Amino acid sequence: MHLIGLLLVLSLTLVAGIAVLKLRSALNARVDSSIEENPHRLGSNRKQKSKPQQKTLKGTPKTRFSSLLGRLQERTHCVAVLWCHTEQVTCFAFHPKKRCLLSCSSDRSVRVWWDPVDKQAKFSSVNLFTCAASQHNVKFPDFAEACCWSKDGQFVLFALSHTHAIRSYDVLENQKILSGSLDVVSVQKGNVKDIEMDPHCRYFVTYDDGSSFIVWNMRGNILATVDTHQVQNNRMAISPDGRFIASAGFIGDVYLWEVLFQKDSGEFVGLKKVIDLKGHRAGVRGVAFSHDNKKVATVCKDKTIRIWNIDVKYKLEEDAKLLFSLEPWDIHVDLLQVAFNPNDNLLAVAGNDSVAIYLLETRQIVTILRNCTGQGGVDIEKFGFSGDGTLLATLGHGQGWISLWHIPYMPGFSKV
Ligand SMILES: *[C@@H]1O[C@H](CO)[C@@H](O)[C@H](O)[C@H]1NC(C)=O
Ligand SMILES: *[C@@H]1O[C@H](CO)[C@@H](O)[C@H](O)[C@H]1NC(C)=O
């Protein structure tokens, strides 16, 4: 009897022991998988986990998404800060195809960074605007408050602050910017908020804080002055095919103006308001066209982000449709600007001092770049993707430097 009792006790402890061991390993497995799921923990053992970069992503949208998510979180980081000027940076613009960056400052300098993430970042620097504008006999120094590139990257346009002059300059690699052909004085009373150029170089657009914008031809003649009736201009954009100008302002409606040219002669005919994007309940701060000309993204003071389909038969009075809305990452964030990456698969939204990057196919946030300006309470003034889509540049309000963020290459997705 004693022997049987002893055996029973022994086998019971054995079973209990095995159970405890099993439970332990199960617990360990749980801990491991929670590490897998937590992206912040992932960061710490990034080295062991990093796999050779894959060229294409296969699988269902969900697995592709998690693969992308991993890559973005591992590889999106600040790659460079360009301490480029002695005073505040007033504007910058990326070359339409390359990484090359143009920056201007109230210290009157203009710099062209041929590859801004190159360790020995080379730039061409000129104090363009100290020289007198011969035609207009301007003697005092000036600086650019807005700039943009021509689509072929051959020349740049500047809107100057004091003199209100608009000038073009040719850009030749590894040389100083040479004087260009255009030199006119704007009739706008207010400071030029931004300047945008038609990709086909038929016209360019300037606008100030008021409610109107000016369309110029490349010789500097005014083609049209348009009152948008939007109380105040917040932002304007030209579609990549040059067909539409979008205007976003104090009122919630965003207007698309078709720029009409004579088919044969190419002569300017006029502007026509053809599409009205209705739905926002407050001022729209940011507007951007997708590179395939089919979508428009808007961000609004009412804390909504909307994607619209503008590929409609507007001539037959078909309205543009709201495709979907995206949730902001923080309900207290003030949305400021929006941009599509060159492949149209990522959407970057700037709000306060952060930039959230959404994957459009799944409509999820893949990463949030926080503290982009490096100073609490300083909002992002300007941001944009490089022409090749590998960089995102951010500039804080009143700051004298530009931060550059690495954006991993995104393989093409099926269109959303
Ligand atoms: C963003 O800025 C606004 C106004 O400057 C402020 O009221 C708000 O709290 C800020 N939001 C966040 C998330 O910091
Ligand atoms: C933001 O960045 C700056 C500079 O990198 C740093 O000094 C500061 O502590 C950061 N602030 C926050 C809230 O992370």
Side-chain angles (χ1 to χ4, degrees):
M1 283 301 276
H2 284 290
L3 201 69
I4 291 168
L6 200 70
L7 275 176
L8 209 84
V9 167
L10 267 177
S11 58
L12 271 177
T13 38
L14 207 72
V15 166
I18 287 168
V20 164
L21 276 177
K22 279 229 165 122
L23 195 71
R24 270 209 188 153
S25 60
L27 275 176
N28 281 342
R30 275 254 283 288
V31 170
D32 280 343
S33 67
S34 80
I35 288 176
E36 288 280 351
E37 277 157 21
N38 188 337
H40 299 292
R41 298 280 288 274
L42 237 179
S44 58
N45 45 7
R46 184 177 298 172
K47 285 243 164 68
Q48 298 105 301
K49 298 255 173 193
S50 70
K51 286 184 199 124
Q53 196 193 330
Q54 290 167 334
K55 274 268 151 65
T56 52
L57 291 169
K58 295 192 182 109
T60 63
K62 212 171 163 192
T63 57
R64 283 206 310 252
F65 175 71
S66 51
S67 167
L68 275 177
L69 184 67
R71 275 170 55 182
L72 271 172
Q73 281 172 340
E74 278 182 29
R75 302 183 55 219
T76 306
H77 56 274
C78 185
V79 279
V81 177
L82 302 176
W83 295 89
C84 36
H85 299 277
T86 56
E87 285 175 28
Q88 81 172 76
V89 175
T90 48
C91 57
F92 71 80
F94 270 113
H95 186 288
K97 302 224 172 74
K98 302 186 205 162
R99 283 181 161 196
C100 174
L101 181 76
L102 170 76
S103 64
C104 310
S105 159
S106 58
D107 68 6
R108 301 194 300 268
S109 65
V110 169
R111 292 194 174 175
V112 180
W113 305 77
W114 301 110
D115 183 357
V117 291
D118 184 351
K119 282 270 151 44
Q120 289 105 31
K122 278 194 207 130
F123 56 79
S124 296
S125 177
V126 270
N127 281 352
L128 277 183
F129 309 119
T130 48
C131 47
S134 53
Q135 263 184 312
H136 301 287
N137 211 13
V138 179
K139 288 274 159 50
F140 53 92
D142 205 346
F143 64 89
E145 57 190 356
C147 60
C148 67
W149 288 83
S150 64
K151 174 131 190 251
D152 58 8
Q154 300 281 304
F155 67 98
V156 287
L157 283 185
F158 297 106
L160 307 199
S161 179
H162 300 308
T163 53
H164 290 198
I166 296 168
R167 292 202 204 150
S168 76
Y169 285 84
D170 300 332
V171 181
L172 300 170
E173 187 139 353
N174 296 322
Q175 287 183 32
K176 287 196 168 182
I177 302 178
L178 302 174
S179 190
S181 49
L182 178 77
D183 190 353
V184 290
V185 172
S186 173
V187 291
Q188 253 152 333
K189 285 195 194 72
N191 283 359
V192 171
K193 216 165 158 170
D194 217 343
I195 185 165
E196 294 265 355
M197 205 187 311
D198 165 36
H200 301 298
C201 286
R202 295 167 301 179
Y203 66 91
F204 67 90
V205 170
T206 58
Y207 61 98
D208 60 10
D209 259 332
S211 66
S212 64
F213 64 92
I214 299 179
V215 183
W216 308 73
N217 69 13
M218 298 312 292
R219 291 185 301 278
N221 304 321
I222 292 176
L223 297 175
T225 302
V226 182
D227 188 352
T228 64
H229 301 290
Q230 287 169 310
V231 186
Q232 178 196 310
N233 294 326
N234 283 342
R235 199 160 302 275
M236 304 195 65
I238 296 179
S239 63
D241 58 5
R243 190 160 156 202
F244 299 117
I245 299 170
S247 64
F250 180 79
I251 64 162
D253 287 19
V254 173
Y255 300 142
L256 263 54
W257 309 80
E258 188 174 13
V259 193
L260 299 160
F261 289 90
Q262 200 91 192
K263 268 228 174 82
D264 318 318
S265 63
E267 207 177 310
F268 176 75
V269 177
L271 277 135
K272 199 173 161 203
K273 190 168 90 186
V274 288
I275 292 179
D276 181 355
L277 304 175
K278 283 176 185 291
H280 283 299
R281 295 218 180 83
V284 176
R285 297 239 182 78
V287 60
F289 285 95
S290 64
H291 295 78
D292 64 4
N293 298 293
K294 290 183 177 161
K295 292 184 284 291
V296 164
T298 53
V299 294
C300 179
K301 219 178 147 198
D302 68 9
K303 304 192 197 294
T304 56
I305 304 161
R306 296 188 176 196
I307 314 293
W308 311 79
N309 175 21
I310 58 157
D311 190 19
V312 293
K313 298 190 181 73
Y314 59 88
K315 283 179 186 144
L316 303 175
E317 302 199 350
E318 188 186 346
D319 284 333
K321 286 180 196 74
L322 177 69
L323 282 175
F324 54 88
S325 300
L326 296 169
E327 288 296 315
W329 57 103
D330 179 333
I331 56 160
H332 300 297
V333 77
D334 271 359
L335 301 173
L336 302 168
Q337 286 183 52
V338 63
F340 286 90
N341 75 334
N343 285 352
D344 288 336
N345 47 26
L346 298 178
L347 188 79
V349 179
N352 289 54
D353 62 352
S354 304
V355 175
I357 297 186
Y358 294 80
L359 185 67
L360 287 170
E361 189 175 74
T362 61
R363 302 175 196 179
Q364 277 166 291
I365 292 179
V366 279
T367 192
I368 302 173
L369 312 172
R370 295 186 193 274
N371 194 15
C372 289
T373 59
Q375 287 176 306
V378 175
D379 288 349
I380 291 171
E381 172 89 9
K382 203 163 168 47
F383 88 144
F385 282 103
S386 60
D388 67 353
T390 60
L391 292 175
L392 183 89
T394 58
L395 167 67
H397 185 77
Q399 291 185 330
W401 63 90
I402 296 169
S403 303
L404 296 171
W405 306 81
H406 177 76
I407 303 292
Y409 170 73
M410 289 290 118
F413 275 119
S414 60
K415 294 285 172 213
V416 278

